[in-house]
Amino acid sequence: MVTHVHIKKLNEINNELSAISRECERAFSEWVKDRSNTNLLREYKALLGKRQDIIKEYKSYLIIN
């Protein structure tokens, strides 16, 4: 049975995912404008990695609970 605590935790993870997704969009947009800037590409890839980690946390939390 899903409790208030579980819903709160899922909402926190979802909010974190939304924030990192916006950052990914911003970084990608900046890199598209200046494709020769490898630092922007690295930032985008790092953000994608963090986003994947958050998605894994969300999925694992759903499976556990």
Side-chain angles (χ1 to χ4, degrees), residues 35-48:
R35 290 185 185 215
S36 63
N37 189 337
T38 57
N39 290 331
L40 291 173
L41 181 60
R42 280 190 212 113
E43 177 188 0
Y44 174 63
K45 286 183 178 182
L47 287 168
L48 282 179

Side-chain angles (χ1 to χ4, degrees), residues 12-62:
E12 288 174 9
I13 295 171
N14 192 40
N15 291 340
E16 196 176 344
L17 182 59
S18 294
I20 197 76
S21 293
R22 283 190 301 274
E23 284 294 308
C24 284
E25 288 176 21
R26 178 203 53 81
F28 182 76
S29 178
E30 287 180 17
W31 175 71
V32 166
K33 291 176 186 173
D34 184 11
R35 290 185 185 215
S36 63
N37 189 337
T38 57
N39 290 331
L40 291 173
L41 181 60
R42 280 190 212 113
E43 177 188 0
Y44 174 63
K45 286 183 178 182
L47 287 168
L48 282 179
K50 289 179 185 178
R51 184 177 181 273
Q52 278 303 114
D53 291 344
I54 294 170
I55 290 171
K56 286 177 188 174
E57 178 186 2
Y58 189 82
K59 286 180 179 178
S60 68
Y61 194 80
L62 284 175

